[in-house]
Amino acid sequence: MTILHKSDIVAKAVYVTAGETVAMPKSKRSKQGDEMKGGRTGLPADPVGAALRRLHDDVVAEPIPDEFLKLLDEIEQRLAKQTGLE
Amino acid sequence: MSGEGDAPKPESDSGFRTQLIDIIPALRAFARGLCGNRDLADDLVQDAMMRAWAARESYTPGTRFRAWIFMILRNHYYTTLRKNSRLVSWDPEVAERVLVAGPTQQDGLNVADVQAALLKLPAEQREVLLLIGANGVSYEEAAEIMGRAIGTIKSRLARGRAALSALVEGPPDAAEASNVTK
């Protein structure tokens, strides 16, 4: 029901504005944004920014090495002892 | 949190541990970007984790944990850097191992080139590029991490971006150059 209602409004908006002013430019704009980000030429609008993000994402995607979890266990044990001494 | 009493209640050890584990990937990415070397970066992260654990009572639950621990890591990085400059040395052979995903031309720029260029920048520019450009933290949070005013963060970011672009894409054309010097 809601969906029908919504699409009615959108259809009406497109019709009323004859595809020119309100509804159409909005959808066009988001498409243009996508193209700028990488579509046609294959080059992003901000290649340096994209490379920086990939630098980050590549590392984040790696599984956490076991040594980190082992370290946490060791720290907990060691600090438990230390607080006993203090 | 239920314990909003008189004094801020210290995080339980298990809660603290969970937060630490959750932040490890982002810490590793930040550290690797700073020193460009996987092993050194992981050492840096482990040192930061130990320091964070030892200082866990100084963390106020409900505040930004990421900012708190990133601050510990970057402070430790600068302390270590003063003693040991190898933390920023760029070794192309190591770089190949660091960048496990390998370079692609998909986005127009080679990630290894960008990492190499980052290491040529002053550490203060490198760190702001990594925090905001790579990790996506806000200006405000970056200011908190670096202990500087937001205005300082913004100008470092602008200078860093310009310098990084010049290194990886060649010198900017005349129009861009006039913007950069403003």
Side-chain angles (χ1 to χ4, degrees):
Chain A
M1 289 294 260
T2 346
I3 293 166
L4 267 179
H5 184 58
K6 204 176 169 185
S7 60
D8 271 351
I9 291 174
V10 173
K12 215 176 250 178
V14 173
Y15 177 73
V16 164
T17 56
E20 278 300 316
T21 49
V22 185
M24 287 298 283
K26 205 172 184 181
S27 61
K28 263 189 189 171
R29 213 188 304 143
S30 65
K31 262 185 195 165
Q32 279 171 356
D34 289 345
E35 277 165 21
M36 279 179 72
K37 269 182 202 157
R40 281 194 179 162
T41 57
L43 290 175
D46 176 16
V48 174
L52 277 173
R53 283 190 294 278
R54 211 169 64 230
L55 203 60
H56 173 263
D57 293 346
D58 285 351
V59 183
V60 167
E62 290 177 21
I64 299 175
D66 285 344
E67 61 193 88
F68 284 86
L69 305 178
K70 280 184 201 150
L71 175 76
L72 277 177
D73 292 338
E74 281 169 27
I75 292 171
E76 280 172 56
Q77 286 165 9
R78 205 187 315 160
L79 281 162
K81 278 181 198 164
Q82 271 181 13
T83 40
L85 290 174
E86 273 172 59
Chain B
M1 283 267 151
S2 54
E4 279 184 9
D6 325 312
K9 197 177 152 202
E11 194 82 61
S12 75
D13 282 0
S14 68
F16 193 82
R17 183 192 166 96
T18 307
Q19 280 187 299
L20 263 182
I21 291 173
D22 288 348
I23 204 74
I24 287 173
L27 279 175
R28 295 182 74 214
F30 181 43
R32 203 178 302 180
L34 282 175
C35 48
N37 174 307
R38 183 191 171 117
D39 293 339
L40 292 177
D42 280 356
D43 285 350
L44 195 61
V45 173
Q46 293 188 8
D47 285 349
M49 285 165 64
M50 285 193 274
R51 278 156 198 271
W53 193 276
R56 69 192 180 284
E57 276 165 20
S58 75
Y59 169 69
T60 313
T63 61
R64 281 190 277 240
F65 183 77
R66 178 172 68 178
W68 182 75
I69 193 158
F70 269 52
M71 187 173 64
I72 292 175
L73 185 136
R74 60 84 69 182
N75 288 347
H76 181 52
Y77 171 70
Y78 280 104
T79 309
T80 317
L81 199 59
R82 264 177 257 131
K83 295 180 197 158
N84 186 355
S85 59
R86 89 197 159 105
L87 267 181
V88 282
S89 65
W90 175 251
D91 178 344
E93 283 179 29
V94 173
E96 269 181 51
R97 283 184 278 125
V98 171
L99 302 157
V100 285
T104 71
Q105 293 300 323
Q106 183 189 329
D107 288 2
L109 283 181
N110 187 319
V111 173
D113 289 345
V114 173
Q115 174 70 77
L118 274 174
L119 294 173
K120 290 178 186 162
L121 300 180
E124 57 182 38
Q125 289 177 18
R126 178 164 61 250
E127 107 176 292
V128 77
L129 285 166
L130 289 167
L131 288 173
I132 297 174
N135 194 312
V137 313
S138 64
Y139 290 125
E140 192 191 7
E141 190 172 344
E144 195 182 322
I145 293 166
M146 294 167 67
R148 294 285 182 276
I150 288 182
T152 310
I153 302 302
K154 286 184 178 173
S155 66
R156 281 185 188 177
L157 181 66
R159 272 182 277 130
R161 282 299 298 246
L164 188 62
S165 295
L167 283 168
V168 297
E169 295 179 312
D173 62 32
E176 279 177 60
S178 67
N179 281 334
V180 166
T181 50
K182 261 179 202 171

PDB file of all heavy atoms in Angstrom, chain B residues 1 7 10 15-16 24 29 45 50 68 76 94-95 99 126-127 137 145 147-148 150 152 182:
ATOM      1  N   MET B   1      25.001   3.016  29.641  1.00  0.00           N
ATOM      2  CA  MET B   1      25.618   2.339  30.784  1.00  0.00           C
ATOM      3  C   MET B   1      24.779   2.563  32.041  1.00  0.00           C
ATOM      4  O   MET B   1      24.240   3.644  32.259  1.00  0.00           O
ATOM      5  CB  MET B   1      27.030   2.882  31.034  1.00  0.00           C
ATOM      6  CG  MET B   1      28.048   2.333  30.048  1.00  0.00           C
ATOM      7  SD  MET B   1      28.845   0.867  30.721  1.00  0.00           S
ATOM      8  CE  MET B   1      29.246  -0.020  29.223  1.00  0.00           C
ATOM      9  N   ALA B   7      31.476   8.942  40.545  1.00  0.00           N
ATOM     10  CA  ALA B   7      32.700   8.913  39.744  1.00  0.00           C
ATOM     11  C   ALA B   7      32.456   8.012  38.544  1.00  0.00           C
ATOM     12  O   ALA B   7      31.680   7.071  38.629  1.00  0.00           O
ATOM     13  CB  ALA B   7      33.849   8.352  40.580  1.00  0.00           C
ATOM     14  N   PRO B  10      35.084   2.593  36.134  1.00  0.00           N
ATOM     15  CA  PRO B  10      36.032   2.031  35.189  1.00  0.00           C
ATOM     16  C   PRO B  10      35.403   0.882  34.404  1.00  0.00           C
ATOM     17  O   PRO B  10      34.559   0.162  34.948  1.00  0.00           O
ATOM     18  CB  PRO B  10      37.179   1.515  36.067  1.00  0.00           C
ATOM     19  CG  PRO B  10      36.855   1.860  37.460  1.00  0.00           C
ATOM     20  CD  PRO B  10      35.469   2.386  37.535  1.00  0.00           C
ATOM     21  N   GLY B  15      34.873  -5.979  29.151  1.00  0.00           N
ATOM     22  CA  GLY B  15      34.380  -4.962  28.243  1.00  0.00           C
ATOM     23  C   GLY B  15      35.529  -4.228  27.568  1.00  0.00           C
ATOM     24  O   GLY B  15      35.496  -3.951  26.374  1.00  0.00           O
ATOM     25  N   PHE B  16      36.553  -3.977  28.347  1.00  0.00           N
ATOM     26  CA  PHE B  16      37.727  -3.295  27.828  1.00  0.00           C
ATOM     27  C   PHE B  16      38.421  -4.165  26.775  1.00  0.00           C
ATOM     28  O   PHE B  16      38.823  -3.686  25.724  1.00  0.00           O
ATOM     29  CB  PHE B  16      38.682  -2.985  28.976  1.00  0.00           C
ATOM     30  CG  PHE B  16      39.762  -2.023  28.619  1.00  0.00           C
ATOM     31  CD1 PHE B  16      39.514  -0.664  28.623  1.00  0.00           C
ATOM     32  CD2 PHE B  16      41.015  -2.470  28.256  1.00  0.00           C
ATOM     33  CE1 PHE B  16      40.512   0.241  28.277  1.00  0.00           C
ATOM     34  CE2 PHE B  16      42.012  -1.578  27.907  1.00  0.00           C
ATOM     35  CZ  PHE B  16      41.752  -0.221  27.921  1.00  0.00           C
ATOM     36  N   ILE B  24      41.481  -3.289  16.945  1.00  0.00           N
ATOM     37  CA  ILE B  24      42.779  -3.748  16.418  1.00  0.00           C
ATOM     38  C   ILE B  24      42.931  -3.532  14.902  1.00  0.00           C
ATOM     39  O   ILE B  24      43.947  -2.977  14.468  1.00  0.00           O
ATOM     40  CB  ILE B  24      43.053  -5.227  16.804  1.00  0.00           C
ATOM     41  CG1 ILE B  24      43.393  -5.314  18.302  1.00  0.00           C
ATOM     42  CG2 ILE B  24      44.207  -5.823  15.985  1.00  0.00           C
ATOM     43  CD1 ILE B  24      43.505  -6.756  18.828  1.00  0.00           C
ATOM     44  N   ALA B  29      45.882  -0.600  10.668  1.00  0.00           N
ATOM     45  CA  ALA B  29      45.888   0.179   9.430  1.00  0.00           C
ATOM     46  C   ALA B  29      46.557   1.533   9.649  1.00  0.00           C
ATOM     47  O   ALA B  29      47.370   1.973   8.827  1.00  0.00           O
ATOM     48  CB  ALA B  29      44.455   0.365   8.930  1.00  0.00           C
ATOM     49  N   VAL B  45      51.419  -1.374  17.409  1.00  0.00           N
ATOM     50  CA  VAL B  45      50.052  -1.617  17.887  1.00  0.00           C
ATOM     51  C   VAL B  45      50.081  -2.408  19.193  1.00  0.00           C
ATOM     52  O   VAL B  45      49.352  -2.098  20.140  1.00  0.00           O
ATOM     53  CB  VAL B  45      49.214  -2.371  16.826  1.00  0.00           C
ATOM     54  CG1 VAL B  45      47.854  -2.765  17.388  1.00  0.00           C
ATOM     55  CG2 VAL B  45      49.029  -1.510  15.586  1.00  0.00           C
ATOM     56  N   MET B  50      49.347  -2.580  25.106  1.00  0.00           N
ATOM     57  CA  MET B  50      49.857  -2.766  26.470  1.00  0.00           C
ATOM     58  C   MET B  50      49.705  -1.485  27.278  1.00  0.00           C
ATOM     59  O   MET B  50      49.305  -1.506  28.442  1.00  0.00           O
ATOM     60  CB  MET B  50      51.320  -3.206  26.442  1.00  0.00           C
ATOM     61  CG  MET B  50      51.480  -4.665  26.048  1.00  0.00           C
ATOM     62  SD  MET B  50      53.141  -5.284  26.376  1.00  0.00           S
ATOM     63  CE  MET B  50      53.989  -4.810  24.888  1.00  0.00           C
ATOM     64  N   TRP B  68      40.767   7.760  22.110  1.00  0.00           N
ATOM     65  CA  TRP B  68      41.653   7.527  23.255  1.00  0.00           C
ATOM     66  C   TRP B  68      42.826   6.617  22.874  1.00  0.00           C
ATOM     67  O   TRP B  68      43.986   6.932  23.127  1.00  0.00           O
ATOM     68  CB  TRP B  68      40.829   6.919  24.400  1.00  0.00           C
ATOM     69  CG  TRP B  68      41.594   6.668  25.666  1.00  0.00           C
ATOM     70  CD1 TRP B  68      41.998   7.596  26.581  1.00  0.00           C
ATOM     71  CD2 TRP B  68      42.037   5.402  26.153  1.00  0.00           C
ATOM     72  NE1 TRP B  68      42.672   6.974  27.614  1.00  0.00           N
ATOM     73  CE2 TRP B  68      42.693   5.627  27.376  1.00  0.00           C
ATOM     74  CE3 TRP B  68      41.920   4.088  25.672  1.00  0.00           C
ATOM     75  CZ2 TRP B  68      43.262   4.595  28.137  1.00  0.00           C
ATOM     76  CZ3 TRP B  68      42.474   3.059  26.425  1.00  0.00           C
ATOM     77  CH2 TRP B  68      43.129   3.325  27.641  1.00  0.00           C
ATOM     78  N   HIS B  76      52.927   7.264  21.246  1.00  0.00           N
ATOM     79  CA  HIS B  76      53.999   6.275  21.335  1.00  0.00           C
ATOM     80  C   HIS B  76      54.829   6.257  20.049  1.00  0.00           C
ATOM     81  O   HIS B  76      56.050   6.134  20.084  1.00  0.00           O
ATOM     82  CB  HIS B  76      53.398   4.895  21.609  1.00  0.00           C
ATOM     83  CG  HIS B  76      54.422   3.827  21.747  1.00  0.00           C
ATOM     84  ND1 HIS B  76      55.499   3.930  22.606  1.00  0.00           N
ATOM     85  CD2 HIS B  76      54.558   2.619  21.134  1.00  0.00           C
ATOM     86  CE1 HIS B  76      56.237   2.842  22.505  1.00  0.00           C
ATOM     87  NE2 HIS B  76      55.697   2.033  21.624  1.00  0.00           N
ATOM     88  N   VAL B  94      60.226  -4.606   1.399  1.00  0.00           N
ATOM     89  CA  VAL B  94      59.268  -4.768   2.490  1.00  0.00           C
ATOM     90  C   VAL B  94      57.881  -4.343   2.015  1.00  0.00           C
ATOM     91  O   VAL B  94      56.888  -4.987   2.318  1.00  0.00           O
ATOM     92  CB  VAL B  94      59.687  -3.934   3.720  1.00  0.00           C
ATOM     93  CG1 VAL B  94      58.604  -3.978   4.790  1.00  0.00           C
ATOM     94  CG2 VAL B  94      61.002  -4.450   4.281  1.00  0.00           C
ATOM     95  N   ALA B  95      57.871  -3.287   1.226  1.00  0.00           N
ATOM     96  CA  ALA B  95      56.592  -2.745   0.768  1.00  0.00           C
ATOM     97  C   ALA B  95      55.763  -3.806   0.051  1.00  0.00           C
ATOM     98  O   ALA B  95      54.554  -3.869   0.207  1.00  0.00           O
ATOM     99  CB  ALA B  95      56.836  -1.572  -0.165  1.00  0.00           C
ATOM    100  N   LEU B  99      51.958  -4.619   1.416  1.00  0.00           N
ATOM    101  CA  LEU B  99      50.731  -4.438   0.661  1.00  0.00           C
ATOM    102  C   LEU B  99      50.305  -5.774   0.081  1.00  0.00           C
ATOM    103  O   LEU B  99      50.489  -6.057  -1.085  1.00  0.00           O
ATOM    104  CB  LEU B  99      50.951  -3.388  -0.426  1.00  0.00           C
ATOM    105  CG  LEU B  99      51.392  -2.048   0.170  1.00  0.00           C
ATOM    106  CD1 LEU B  99      52.141  -1.218  -0.848  1.00  0.00           C
ATOM    107  CD2 LEU B  99      50.232  -1.278   0.742  1.00  0.00           C
ATOM    108  N   ARG B 126      51.334  13.182   7.413  1.00  0.00           N
ATOM    109  CA  ARG B 126      51.020  11.772   7.178  1.00  0.00           C
ATOM    110  C   ARG B 126      49.904  11.322   8.122  1.00  0.00           C
ATOM    111  O   ARG B 126      48.951  10.683   7.728  1.00  0.00           O
ATOM    112  CB  ARG B 126      52.289  10.921   7.391  1.00  0.00           C
ATOM    113  CG  ARG B 126      52.072   9.434   7.220  1.00  0.00           C
ATOM    114  CD  ARG B 126      53.376   8.686   7.039  1.00  0.00           C
ATOM    115  NE  ARG B 126      54.282   8.811   8.165  1.00  0.00           N
ATOM    116  CZ  ARG B 126      55.415   9.476   8.176  1.00  0.00           C
ATOM    117  NH1 ARG B 126      55.820  10.087   7.091  1.00  0.00           N
ATOM    118  NH2 ARG B 126      56.174   9.527   9.248  1.00  0.00           N
ATOM    119  N   GLU B 127      50.038  11.692   9.372  1.00  0.00           N
ATOM    120  CA  GLU B 127      49.062  11.203  10.353  1.00  0.00           C
ATOM    121  C   GLU B 127      47.675  11.779  10.106  1.00  0.00           C
ATOM    122  O   GLU B 127      46.673  11.063  10.221  1.00  0.00           O
ATOM    123  CB  GLU B 127      49.570  11.456  11.772  1.00  0.00           C
ATOM    124  CG  GLU B 127      48.907  12.524  12.547  1.00  0.00           C
ATOM    125  CD  GLU B 127      49.415  12.637  13.975  1.00  0.00           C
ATOM    126  OE1 GLU B 127      49.159  11.717  14.741  1.00  0.00           O
ATOM    127  OE2 GLU B 127      50.071  13.647  14.310  1.00  0.00           O
ATOM    128  N   VAL B 137      37.998   9.473  10.176  1.00  0.00           N
ATOM    129  CA  VAL B 137      37.561  10.109  11.421  1.00  0.00           C
ATOM    130  C   VAL B 137      37.235  11.583  11.130  1.00  0.00           C
ATOM    131  O   VAL B 137      37.685  12.143  10.133  1.00  0.00           O
ATOM    132  CB  VAL B 137      38.595   9.990  12.573  1.00  0.00           C
ATOM    133  CG1 VAL B 137      39.132   8.576  12.705  1.00  0.00           C
ATOM    134  CG2 VAL B 137      39.726  10.975  12.426  1.00  0.00           C
ATOM    135  N   ILE B 145      42.618  13.420  18.917  1.00  0.00           N
ATOM    136  CA  ILE B 145      43.713  12.446  18.867  1.00  0.00           C
ATOM    137  C   ILE B 145      45.068  13.148  18.838  1.00  0.00           C
ATOM    138  O   ILE B 145      46.009  12.762  19.524  1.00  0.00           O
ATOM    139  CB  ILE B 145      43.560  11.528  17.627  1.00  0.00           C
ATOM    140  CG1 ILE B 145      42.315  10.644  17.778  1.00  0.00           C
ATOM    141  CG2 ILE B 145      44.813  10.670  17.413  1.00  0.00           C
ATOM    142  CD1 ILE B 145      41.876   9.953  16.492  1.00  0.00           C
ATOM    143  N   GLY B 147      45.695  16.279  19.661  1.00  0.00           N
ATOM    144  CA  GLY B 147      45.872  17.312  20.669  1.00  0.00           C
ATOM    145  C   GLY B 147      46.129  18.681  20.067  1.00  0.00           C
ATOM    146  O   GLY B 147      46.934  19.466  20.587  1.00  0.00           O
ATOM    147  N   ARG B 148      45.471  18.946  18.937  1.00  0.00           N
ATOM    148  CA  ARG B 148      45.622  20.236  18.251  1.00  0.00           C
ATOM    149  C   ARG B 148      44.246  20.814  17.947  1.00  0.00           C
ATOM    150  O   ARG B 148      43.254  20.101  17.947  1.00  0.00           O
ATOM    151  CB  ARG B 148      46.376  20.047  16.922  1.00  0.00           C
ATOM    152  CG  ARG B 148      47.830  19.615  17.068  1.00  0.00           C
ATOM    153  CD  ARG B 148      48.706  20.773  17.531  1.00  0.00           C
ATOM    154  NE  ARG B 148      50.109  20.373  17.626  1.00  0.00           N
ATOM    155  CZ  ARG B 148      50.659  19.771  18.662  1.00  0.00           C
ATOM    156  NH1 ARG B 148      49.920  19.457  19.711  1.00  0.00           N
ATOM    157  NH2 ARG B 148      51.934  19.450  18.675  1.00  0.00           N
ATOM    158  N   ILE B 150      41.167  22.329  15.714  1.00  0.00           N
ATOM    159  CA  ILE B 150      40.590  21.875  14.446  1.00  0.00           C
ATOM    160  C   ILE B 150      41.182  22.642  13.262  1.00  0.00           C
ATOM    161  O   ILE B 150      41.453  22.078  12.206  1.00  0.00           O
ATOM    162  CB  ILE B 150      39.048  21.993  14.482  1.00  0.00           C
ATOM    163  CG1 ILE B 150      38.490  20.903  15.418  1.00  0.00           C
ATOM    164  CG2 ILE B 150      38.440  21.837  13.088  1.00  0.00           C
ATOM    165  CD1 ILE B 150      36.976  20.874  15.510  1.00  0.00           C
ATOM    166  N   THR B 152      44.146  23.807  12.939  1.00  0.00           N
ATOM    167  CA  THR B 152      45.467  23.233  12.648  1.00  0.00           C
ATOM    168  C   THR B 152      45.322  21.943  11.857  1.00  0.00           C
ATOM    169  O   THR B 152      46.065  21.701  10.895  1.00  0.00           O
ATOM    170  CB  THR B 152      46.209  22.931  13.972  1.00  0.00           C
ATOM    171  OG1 THR B 152      46.161  24.094  14.797  1.00  0.00           O
ATOM    172  CG2 THR B 152      47.648  22.520  13.723  1.00  0.00           C
ATOM    173  N   LYS B 182      47.361  29.322  -1.570  1.00  0.00           N
ATOM    174  CA  LYS B 182      46.517  30.251  -0.822  1.00  0.00           C
ATOM    175  C   LYS B 182      46.548  29.962   0.674  1.00  0.00           C
ATOM    176  O   LYS B 182      46.512  28.816   1.061  1.00  0.00           O
ATOM    177  CB  LYS B 182      45.081  30.162  -1.308  1.00  0.00           C
ATOM    178  CG  LYS B 182      44.786  31.287  -2.285  1.00  0.00           C
ATOM    179  CD  LYS B 182      43.351  31.188  -2.799  1.00  0.00           C
ATOM    180  CE  LYS B 182      43.215  31.929  -4.107  1.00  0.00           C
ATOM    181  NZ  LYS B 182      41.936  31.687  -4.726  1.00  0.00           N
TER     182      LYS B 182
END
